């Protein structure tokens, strides 16, 4: 049996911050009476693509695009091409994909959009 990869302290901190962010978003949805999504939802049968959040019964996905202004993954050419491939496959699978940043994911605009799509 393979041993899990040991994380560095920086990786553990990033994971903890991500876990807190997910918990905060799920609480935000619950307080507003919206259904909970599945976090890290794997939507493709053969590829390892995941949505940050998905409501599979509604065919709605939400992608949180971090690092846009700091040279993060979502702003680099090769990663962006991979993202386009993933998103095109999501459309073929019938998903409607919303986008946010960490700053806008809990905005009034996102709440209004999610209410209109999920209710």
């Amino acid at each position: 049996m393979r041993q899990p990869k040991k994380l560095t302290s920086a990786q553990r901190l990033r994971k903890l911050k991500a876990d807190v962010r997910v918990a905060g978003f799920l609480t935000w949805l619950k307080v507003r009476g919206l259904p909970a999504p599945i976090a890290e939802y794997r939507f493709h049968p053969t590829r390892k693509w995941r949505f940050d959040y998905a409501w599979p019964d509604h065919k709605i996905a939400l992608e949180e695009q971090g690092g846009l202004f700091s040279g993060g993954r979502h702003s680099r050419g090769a990663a962006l091409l991979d993202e386009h491939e993933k998103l095109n496959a999501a459309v073929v699978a019938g998903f409607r994909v919303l986008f946010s940043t960490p700053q806008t994911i809990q905005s009034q605009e996102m709440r209004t959009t999610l209410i209109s799509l999920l209710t």
Side-chain angles (χ1 to χ4, degrees), residues 28 32 100 103-113:
W28 180 82
R32 283 150 184 83
S100 72
Q103 295 78 25
T104 63
I105 195 165
Q106 295 182 30
S107 67
Q108 178 61 38
E109 180 183 0
M110 182 57 68
R111 177 180 180 263
T112 302
T113 301

Side-chain angles (χ1 to χ4, degrees), residues 64-116:
E64 187 177 12
Q65 306 288 298
L68 291 175
F69 302 103
S70 62
R73 182 182 190 287
H74 294 117
S75 65
R76 295 191 205 130
L80 205 51
L81 292 176
D82 291 342
E83 187 79 0
H84 289 176
E85 182 183 7
K86 169 186 159 179
L87 295 172
N88 288 339
V91 169
V92 169
F95 277 89
R96 292 181 285 171
V97 183
L98 301 171
F99 295 92
S100 72
T101 65
Q103 295 78 25
T104 63
I105 195 165
Q106 295 182 30
S107 67
Q108 178 61 38
E109 180 183 0
M110 182 57 68
R111 177 180 180 263
T112 302
T113 301
L114 288 172
I115 287 171
S116 70

Side-chain angles (χ1 to χ4, degrees), residues 5 11 14-15 18 37 40-41 59 71 86 104 108 110:
K5 187 174 136 184
Q11 289 170 323
R14 276 194 300 277
K15 183 180 179 332
E40 295 297 322
Y41 178 74
K59 290 289 197 175
K86 169 186 159 179
T104 63
Q108 178 61 38
M110 182 57 68

Side-chain angles (χ1 to χ4, degrees), residues 6-85:
K6 191 167 184 153
L7 299 176
T8 66
S9 57
Q11 289 170 323
R12 284 194 307 272
L13 181 59
R14 276 194 300 277
K15 183 180 179 332
L16 179 61
K17 285 181 179 180
D19 290 347
V20 168
R21 194 168 52 251
V22 168
F25 182 59
L26 295 177
T27 300
W28 180 82
L29 290 169
K30 185 176 182 176
V31 166
R32 283 150 184 83
L34 292 167
I38 298 172
E40 295 297 322
Y41 178 74
R42 189 168 169 182
F43 74 93
H44 195 274
T46 59
R47 302 290 299 262
K48 293 183 178 179
W49 290 322
R50 290 182 170 90
F51 292 130
D52 293 326
Y53 305 97
W55 294 264
D57 293 344
H58 297 277
K59 290 289 197 175
I60 302 295
L62 175 58
E63 289 284 279
E64 187 177 12
Q65 306 288 298
L68 291 175
F69 302 103
S70 62
R73 182 182 190 287
H74 294 117
S75 65
R76 295 191 205 130
L80 205 51
L81 292 176
D82 291 342
E83 187 79 0
H84 289 176
E85 182 183 7

